[in-house]
Amino acid sequence: MINTLRRHASLVVIASIGVLGAAALWRRDGGDAVGRALFHAWELFLFIAPSLLAGLLLAAALRQLVSPGALARWMGAESGWFGLCVATLAGTLTPGGPMAAFPLVLVLAGAGADRGALVAYILGWSLNGFQKLLVYEVPLLGPEFAIMRTLITLPMPMVAGWIARRLPIAWEPPR
Amino acid sequence: MTAGQAFLWLVALIALGFCLRRGPGTLRKVGTETGQSLVKILPMFAVALPMAAFLAELMPADAAVAWIGPDSGFMGVVIASVAGGFMPGGPFVTFPLVLAFSKAGAGVPQMAALITGWSIFAVHRIITWEYPVLGWRFVAMRMVSALPLPIIAGLLAELVVEVFPITLGVP
């Protein structure tokens, strides 16, 4: 029950905003404007669809080919900047949404990654995940912007991981 | 098809080739998993893309200029960073909305801050995934370590834009 809710919570929120938006647009500009907006959404979908399919295929293939646990032995508490770098790269290469990435944090923690590496891993995934970048950011916002933002944020997960190792917050991975 | 899309397909085909070398069973698993992901994602698309399109139509042409326009400076970067954290949903919501904001006059550094803020804070993702899987202590540790990063990203982007005139959207 909680799981169903969790899975559909954002769907419900987004749908409610969408219905309110449609109603407001209808009142202001009439039914034609609503139809035009729906057509724009359809065009956008057709534009993203090819990369979406390629991204999902690649994500599924990578899950078969790479085992993240094997990388964790380079991410221990004594691994220094090298470990943070490996963790950031692993995050960047992790495909899929939060339902895939957060459980992987537990796998990495169990295999020996320390908290700094885990913070770097999560931020590498959420800031510069290749799937988000290639499926959405490059086609929609243009390659120039996507490359600039990626270059600027590339070292950030490592810096955050370095800080996390020094924070006085005790954290043990849940069993 | 854009260059980025062609590159993505090329990488995907290479990865599929490696799967095939491990045997047809692996390739079949990839097919099944892709199908399952599509079933999960398509309903999200059906709801999120029209939502973004309605909001884009509703937004007046210069609505974003005052708050997060190119001349909004440091305050604009801060506002965009915070707003990014509260954007609901995955990339299929955020990126179409960023496109809509930029058509309504938002600045490039502010949008870099917004995407970074969304990537790092994403409140809905913390509530639905990070807290239940990893606990509050991990959330606190990650938030403290990453707190200033969206603002730094926006300020760095401001420096870059002064040298290279980067624009948003596909030319």
Side-chain angles (χ1 to χ4, degrees):
Chain A
M1 177 63 196
I2 299 236
N3 253 329
T4 339
L5 258 180
R6 192 206 247 178
R7 212 150 277 219
H8 299 295
S10 39
L11 197 65
V12 172
V13 172
I14 295 164
S16 328
I17 300 175
V19 170
L20 287 177
L25 189 61
W26 190 297
R27 273 196 57 176
R28 202 189 66 182
D29 300 343
D32 277 359
V34 175
R36 209 165 44 236
L38 282 174
F39 181 68
H40 278 310
W42 173 244
E43 276 185 329
L44 191 59
F45 174 70
L46 291 184
F47 182 64
I48 300 177
S51 352
L52 179 71
L53 188 60
L56 290 178
L57 278 170
L58 177 56
L62 278 182
R63 268 197 279 277
Q64 298 295 328
L65 293 172
V66 186
S67 89
L71 290 172
R73 63 195 166 98
W74 286 311
M75 299 185 199
E78 306 302 315
S79 61
W81 285 101
F82 175 74
L84 295 177
C85 187
V86 173
T88 305
L89 269 180
T92 305
L93 292 176
T94 301
M99 59 294 274
F102 285 108
L104 267 181
V105 172
L106 290 182
V107 176
L108 289 174
D114 85 318
R115 56 188 194 163
L118 297 178
V119 165
Y121 170 81
I122 282 292
L123 290 177
W125 163 75
S126 71
L127 271 173
N128 292 316
F130 79 96
Q131 203 179 16
K132 251 181 269 190
L133 190 74
L134 290 176
V135 175
Y136 301 96
E137 193 165 0
V138 172
L140 287 178
L141 304 183
E144 285 181 358
F145 177 82
I147 290 170
M148 174 195 76
R149 199 194 61 80
T150 304
L151 288 180
I152 287 177
T153 52
L154 211 54
M156 289 185 170
M158 286 174 256
V159 175
W162 186 85
I163 297 174
R165 279 180 175 167
R166 276 149 192 80
L167 284 179
I169 300 176
W171 176 77
E172 290 293 323
R175 302 276 159 212
Chain B
M1 191 178 276
T2 62
Q5 291 177 327
F7 175 72
L8 187 57
W9 270 105
L10 183 71
V11 179
L13 289 178
I14 292 172
L16 288 175
F18 276 109
C19 287
L20 188 61
R21 263 186 45 188
R22 292 207 176 172
T26 314
L27 203 61
R28 213 169 306 129
K29 260 188 226 156
V30 171
T32 324
E33 220 179 280
T34 307
Q36 285 167 347
S37 313
L38 270 179
V39 171
K40 267 184 224 152
I41 286 178
L42 285 180
M44 282 302 239
F45 266 79
V47 176
L49 291 182
M51 187 275 274
F54 293 141
L55 291 189
E57 286 279 329
L58 280 172
M59 232 180 293
D62 53 355
V65 173
W67 289 58
I68 47 174
D71 299 323
S72 60
F74 181 72
M75 267 328 279
V77 166
V78 173
I79 292 170
S81 304
V82 175
F86 287 96
M87 303 253 279
F92 35 81
V93 179
T94 305
F95 288 109
L97 276 181
V98 167
L99 198 60
F101 287 147
S102 76
K103 279 181 188 145
V108 169
Q110 285 74 20
M111 290 301 95
L114 187 130
I115 295 174
T116 310
W118 164 70
S119 308
I120 292 180
F121 300 131
V123 173
H124 72 283
R125 200 183 62 203
I126 292 176
I127 296 170
T128 50
W129 289 99
E130 190 169 12
Y131 159 64
V133 177
L134 300 171
W136 279 122
R137 280 170 178 271
F138 187 87
V139 174
M141 184 174 72
R142 194 182 61 83
M143 294 288 266
V144 172
S145 326
L147 208 58
L149 295 182
I151 294 170
I152 296 174
L155 296 180
L156 285 176
E158 195 128 30
L159 291 180
V160 173
V161 171
E162 268 174 32
V163 185
F164 304 100
I166 286 173
T167 52
L168 272 159
V170 181

